[in-house]
Amino acid sequence: MEQIPFISSAPNTLGIELELQLINPRSFDLAAAADELLAQMANHPIADRVKPEITRSMIELNSSVHEHPMGLLAEMREMRDALCEAADAVGVSVAGGGAHPFMRWQERAISDSPRFQYLAEMYGYLARQFTVFGQHIHLGVPSGDAAVRMVRGLSPYVPHFIALSASSPYYEGVDTLFSCCRLNAVSSFPLAGHLPAEVTDWYRFEAHMAQLRASGLAESIKDLYWDIRPKPEFGTVEIRVCDTPLTVERACQLAAFAQALAVLVTREPEPAPAAWLAYRSNHFQACRFGLQGSYVTPDGQRLRLIDHLRGLFQRLMPIADELGTGDMLVALRDESIRSGNDARWLRSQFHRVRDLPLVVESMARAWRGESEATPAAEVPRRRIRATSEPVHGVQALATPEAGVTPGWRPDRLH
């Protein structure tokens, strides 16, 4: 059996990747402008941390390694500003969010790299539908055994990451009724899912990979579209379930949350075997209902996810104080419990302006860190049913509604 070397990393270090949307500033549809943007940034100091993604309407930002999330936030703000400046130069905008609200997957162009072209040939239309946008969080671990233990320890908290980061309620012009519809695209891939319950150490992980290779099911760890997976060449555990938030502030708050949680799970016993029983149901509930979803704990207790999250934050706060990240966790806790996630913010935007292009414009402004002086009025809650019909007709997606002020947005986001 071939061994997989694991490069040791310092515990509690972290980094993030953000997949971002490239937006046409006139139509607010996606723009296939990744090549132009990469060329514009070719001589910039951060050029090696800006990368193409599977379609040309996407770009990825990669942070360096950090010990403290506040250093990560400072770096991400600098990278955001540099990226926006380059985007302005080539005539596009940049936005976060887990899915573009009204793009059509048929119009996406695959990036010109051997791996992306292979994925397009292998997976057909799924490759273009994979124009969705996620945040990956890397946590440093010292060994392969520690990585597997970390993956197992974090797995019961996958719903918490999904619900806190959810920012993809709209897809192809439809309110999907999901807080996070992005993960439905990820789940289409044959090796999506989670670490098998029987993999309890690095030796068993190597044996599992050897089995997959021998069966022709996978060539490398890159083929594993797991929610959380080891990344041995980085010496990290990679959390992959988060939608890209609308702001770098929320992205770094999620990283601080992950760092504190990683410390917590190293101090506690491994989850009971029953934790895997409710895994898929918990995953679905978080995607569908966000923070209001049902959650079944590893010991079989059923409660609302937001209530379990309140208790989890209480357990994390002493660790956050040790790490010096208490302020970031308090901000994440208070904003999430009071105002909900980005999916709720996006729906409030649409309920206000009734126009998805204007929602996209507000997403681009949020990414830039712009704010409005006018306080947000209370938006009445309204149930929207998912249908196969778009929220507005095709013409309406290109033209603001009469009487709507373009670009309105609440005064506060994260």
Side-chain angles (χ1 to χ4, degrees), residues 22-99:
L22 301 182
I23 305 295
N24 181 317
R26 290 169 294 281
S27 67
F28 300 107
D29 199 352
L30 289 178
D35 293 345
E36 293 88 340
L37 186 55
L38 289 168
Q40 178 68 27
M41 299 201 72
N43 297 318
H44 196 281
I46 69 165
D48 63 331
R49 287 177 280 149
V50 184
K51 301 182 184 298
E53 254 299 334
I54 188 165
T55 68
R56 295 179 181 177
S57 303
M58 310 173 69
I59 207 79
E60 182 179 279
L61 284 187
N62 293 264
S63 79
S64 51
V65 179
H66 290 269
E67 294 183 358
H68 198 286
M70 284 304 297
L72 174 66
L73 177 58
E75 180 188 37
M76 295 310 298
R77 283 172 169 164
E78 291 178 4
M79 293 177 71
R80 173 200 63 194
D81 293 346
L83 184 66
C84 287
E85 183 179 350
D88 290 343
V90 300
V92 296
S93 299
V94 181

Side-chain angles (χ1 to χ4, degrees), residues 373-395:
T374 306
E378 187 66 27
V379 176
R381 299 188 69 176
R382 184 172 72 88
R383 181 173 177 82
I384 301 230
R385 297 191 179 277
T387 72
S388 60
E389 297 300 319
V391 173
H392 277 298
V394 174
Q395 292 303 316

